[in-house]
Amino acid sequence: MYENIIQQAMSEMVPDFERIIEKYLEGKDFAVLNTEMKEQSALLGASIVKRLIEDINRMLRESRERREKGWYVVKDDTRSLLTSLGDVCFKRTLFINHRTGERAYLADRMLCLSPRERMTEDAVAQMLKEAVETCYRKGGEASSILGSVSKETVKEKIHGLVFPKEKDLPVEEKKKECSYLYIEADEDHVSLQFHEKRGDLKTNENGYKDNTVLEKLVYVHEGVEKENPKGVRNRLINAHYFAGGYPGEENKELAEEIYEYLDRTYDLEKVKKIYLSADGGSWIKGLRDRIPGVTYVLDEFHMQKYLRKMTGHLLDSAEDARAELRRLIRKGKKSAFRDYAEELCSYAEKENTAKAVEEGKRYILDNWQAAVTRLKEKGIVYGCSAEGHVSHLLSSRMSSRPMGWSVKGADCMAHLRAYEENGCSMLKLVKMQPQAIEAAKAAGAEDMIIFSAEEVNRWEERYHKKDGKYFDVIQAGISAETRKKAWFKANITWL
């Protein structure tokens, strides 16, 4: 539609591309050639975007429809936007409506540019993709090919994110049918710089600061399968992740989110059992009590850990003792288990060893039915991989290296890590933020309520489909200028 704009931009930059090629032929450095071509291509793209916006602004200034609806020119000024290509600095016109007194940059409205944002959505999405993997500083550097923002800007963007709720997402047209579903849960302990403000960390009587926050990880899957037929590594089938702080009463929100996902995705009437596998933490038991139909099982890692504590002092007889303890658990013989544990404790020669046996006994007894279910239904219940998932999804970014977080920052990053792990688009997440909703309303979509990234995506598909259908019927012989005017008339109706 804007061939002339593209041709003008390219014609002005042809000498720069020729210079890069001549430089390559002299030095024959292929890496430099590609690097400079990438940067010059970004400059070309930014130039085309600038010319497009300014051409739309020119058409608005010359528009009779605009004047008929009471909009008149006030002044011209410039605006700079950081895009994924680089900085785009363009001229635009401020208009005033003599009937209502409203002032607005109509080109911003027509092109759905948020009036207050310094960065475009694509730049923010690029920034989030990097920040979720590395650090805020690198996220700022990755926001644009030829530009960057500070790590403080990255932090503010992440802290301001609003994530879609499961209840607001569309229900699957055909829900999945599974006999068994599995929920696994664990947590990561993340170091804090402060709770609410700097300097508010308290020190207990032992000299330790309360400088950690719990970030929870829960994921749902349909079972385990081989990564490839001849391999030894397994993978989870259709895993879906939830992560965040969810302190105190907010744990109910986490339970609701999990249940909403299950109900939205699966035909729960066809599910025989939903197993919740975890280490027995109080917040996890809270999930068990709030998600209907869940059977709680103790994860294999922690069961084995505490059985080893109880038998580690027996040397060559340790394996036989563990086998006996597992047999008693599988048979559900609680009293016999307690008696056998006390017998093991009597063999302890050191006080620390006796305490370890007692700790293991107490842990198993506190989670007795979950331990019994783990061993009794071994053919159906898989081993729990929550420790590995916490390490991969949370610890690798948040706690494996020395770093400090705020409570808000840790919660947002945990959410963002889970969002990315679920294969969701960062651009969709950016588009569903309040700023994007305000921009849509300003462009004439006041009656549109956008709840989630998925709904934003569906709206975009409908919108582009409408425009695509309109332009597909225009014959190829019509000039670019005529097609441009047709587009303008079709999109100025919101004034």
Side-chain angles (χ1 to χ4, degrees):
M1 185 174 71
Y2 290 103
E3 291 91 339
N4 55 335
I5 292 176
I6 298 172
Q7 289 170 0
Q8 290 171 10
M10 291 187 68
S11 64
E12 289 184 7
M13 291 197 171
V14 165
D16 294 314
F17 282 103
E18 291 176 345
R19 176 187 54 80
I20 293 172
I21 293 173
E22 290 173 0
K23 182 179 177 181
Y24 166 67
L25 294 176
E26 291 176 2
K28 295 184 176 60
D29 192 327
F30 198 64
V32 173
L33 170 67
N34 284 282
T35 300
E36 294 190 359
M37 278 290 185
K38 177 182 177 181
E39 293 176 354
Q40 197 62 37
S41 298
L43 286 172
L44 173 61
S47 176
I48 293 172
V49 171
K50 165 187 164 65
R51 292 167 184 270
L52 171 64
I53 298 172
E54 290 182 345
D55 201 41
I56 295 296
N57 189 75
R58 176 189 60 78
M59 295 175 73
L60 281 165
R61 288 183 63 95
E62 299 171 356
S63 169
R64 184 179 61 188
E65 292 92 337
R66 182 261 304 167
R67 290 192 295 271
E68 289 174 351
K69 295 184 179 183
W71 289 96
Y72 291 88
V73 173
V74 176
K75 64 174 182 176
D76 290 327
D77 59 20
T78 60
R79 181 184 182 186
S80 180
L81 283 174
L82 180 66
T83 74
S84 57
L85 295 170
D87 277 308
V88 175
C89 187
F90 54 91
K91 294 180 181 179
R92 58 180 183 164
T93 302
L94 176 66
F95 297 90
I96 185 171
N97 192 305
H98 284 186
R99 299 171 187 173
T100 64
E102 180 185 4
R103 291 174 172 244
Y105 294 97
L106 298 183
D108 288 359
R109 286 189 176 184
M110 179 166 271
L111 295 171
C112 296
L113 299 176
S114 178
R116 290 178 291 276
E117 278 296 326
R118 169 69 178 84
M119 299 175 65
T120 56
E121 292 170 339
D122 54 304
V124 177
Q126 286 289 107
M127 177 189 74
L128 294 178
K129 285 180 183 178
E130 182 64 33
V132 76
E133 295 291 343
T134 54
C135 63
Y136 288 175
R137 178 181 60 80
K138 289 186 177 180
E141 293 171 353
S143 60
S144 175
I145 295 176
L146 299 174
S148 64
V149 295
S150 68
K151 61 183 181 182
E152 285 298 317
T153 299
V154 180
K155 184 190 79 170
E156 290 172 5
K157 289 290 184 184
I158 291 178
H159 283 205
L161 288 174
V162 177
F163 293 88
K165 298 290 185 182
E166 290 292 335
K167 65 181 180 180
D168 297 326
L169 296 174
V171 177
E172 299 289 341
E173 292 183 6
K174 182 174 176 55
K175 295 185 177 182
K176 296 180 182 180
E177 295 182 7
C178 292
S179 297
Y180 300 97
L181 289 173
Y182 304 88
I183 304 173
E184 299 178 16
D186 206 346
E187 70 275 338
D188 189 23
H189 295 269
V190 177
S191 298
L192 293 177
Q193 292 181 348
F194 53 86
H195 290 281
E196 301 296 333
K197 59 182 180 179
R198 295 189 182 279
D200 66 355
L201 297 179
K202 297 179 180 179
T203 303
N204 62 22
E205 58 185 11
N206 296 320
Y208 295 105
K209 288 185 176 180
D210 60 335
N211 64 337
T212 58
V213 65
L214 202 68
E215 294 302 319
K216 301 169 183 176
L217 174 65
V218 182
Y219 52 96
V220 178
H221 63 93
E222 300 168 14
V224 178
E225 64 181 3
K226 293 287 184 184
E227 283 191 347
N228 59 74
K230 296 182 179 180
V232 296
R233 293 176 62 88
N234 295 325
R235 66 181 175 191
L236 304 181
I237 302 172
N238 295 326
H240 187 86
Y241 298 85
F242 304 84
Y246 299 101
E249 289 298 309
E250 291 183 23
N251 201 53
K252 295 179 182 178
E253 295 181 18
L254 177 56
E256 290 171 2
E257 284 284 288
I258 297 168
Y259 182 75
E260 289 287 350
Y261 169 76
L262 293 172
D263 188 49
R264 182 175 62 83
T265 309
Y266 298 97
D267 185 349
L268 295 181
E269 292 183 359
K270 302 291 179 63
V271 177
K272 297 178 181 178
K273 273 190 178 182
I274 302 174
Y275 290 101
L276 171 59
S277 182
D279 62 1
S282 58
W283 71 270
I284 297 171
K285 291 180 179 178
L287 297 182
R288 173 198 64 188
D289 298 335
R290 295 186 180 101
I291 302 176
V294 163
T295 299
Y296 175 52
V297 296
L298 195 62
D299 75 78
E300 184 69 25
F301 175 84
H302 285 87
M303 177 183 287
Q304 191 67 12
K305 171 185 172 181
Y306 284 98
L307 289 179
R308 287 184 181 279
K309 276 193 172 187
M310 295 176 67
T311 58
H313 61 292
L314 299 178
L315 303 178
D316 293 344
S317 302
E319 189 61 41
D320 293 335
R322 281 195 294 274
E324 177 62 15
L325 289 171
R326 293 175 73 89
R327 186 187 71 81
L328 294 173
I329 294 170
R330 185 170 56 253
K331 296 292 185 180
K333 297 181 178 181
K334 193 172 185 178
S335 297
F337 175 87
R338 184 183 290 108
D339 293 341
Y340 192 69
E342 291 175 358
E343 181 181 345
L344 294 179
C345 190
S346 68
Y347 297 139
E349 298 179 355
K350 298 180 180 179
E351 184 179 352
N352 289 342
T353 304
K355 286 183 178 179
V357 176
E358 184 62 29
E359 182 184 356
K361 180 189 77 171
R362 185 170 59 252
Y363 178 82
I364 298 295
L365 292 176
D366 287 346
N367 297 278
W368 179 255
Q369 191 54 50
V372 172
T373 304
R374 158 65 60 185
L375 297 181
K376 200 171 185 179
E377 301 185 27
K378 192 172 182 179
I380 301 172
V381 180
Y382 296 95
C384 179
S385 56
E387 291 277 340
H389 280 85
V390 166
S391 175
H392 162 70
L393 201 143
L394 296 181
S395 302
S396 62
R397 174 64 178 89
M398 302 178 68
S399 64
S400 62
R401 289 165 292 172
M403 60 180 67
W405 300 82
S406 65
V407 174
K408 178 68 173 177
D411 178 64
C412 289
M413 181 54 69
H415 273 86
L416 197 60
R417 294 279 292 180
Y419 182 87
E420 184 196 41
E421 194 70 20
N422 288 331
C424 299
S425 165
M426 289 297 181
L427 184 56
K428 289 182 184 178
L429 178 63
V430 175
K431 282 183 174 293
M432 62 80 59
Q433 300 308 302
Q435 298 90 337
I437 295 173
E438 290 175 6
K441 288 182 178 179
E446 288 85 356
D447 58 340
M448 187 182 303
I449 301 175
I450 304 173
F451 290 107
S452 67
E454 185 65 30
E455 288 173 326
V456 172
N457 189 47
R458 291 206 307 271
W459 174 82
E460 276 195 315
E461 289 174 354
R462 289 200 300 270
Y463 177 80
H464 289 302
K465 183 178 180 181
K466 175 172 73 69
D467 280 351
K469 183 178 180 181
Y470 182 85
F471 289 110
D472 284 345
V473 300
I474 299 178
Q475 297 299 317
I478 299 177
S479 68
E481 188 64 26
T482 302
R483 296 203 301 274
K484 183 198 305 181
K485 290 178 180 178
W487 177 88
F488 186 82
K489 286 182 178 293
N491 286 273
I492 200 174
T493 56
W494 49 266
L495 278 176

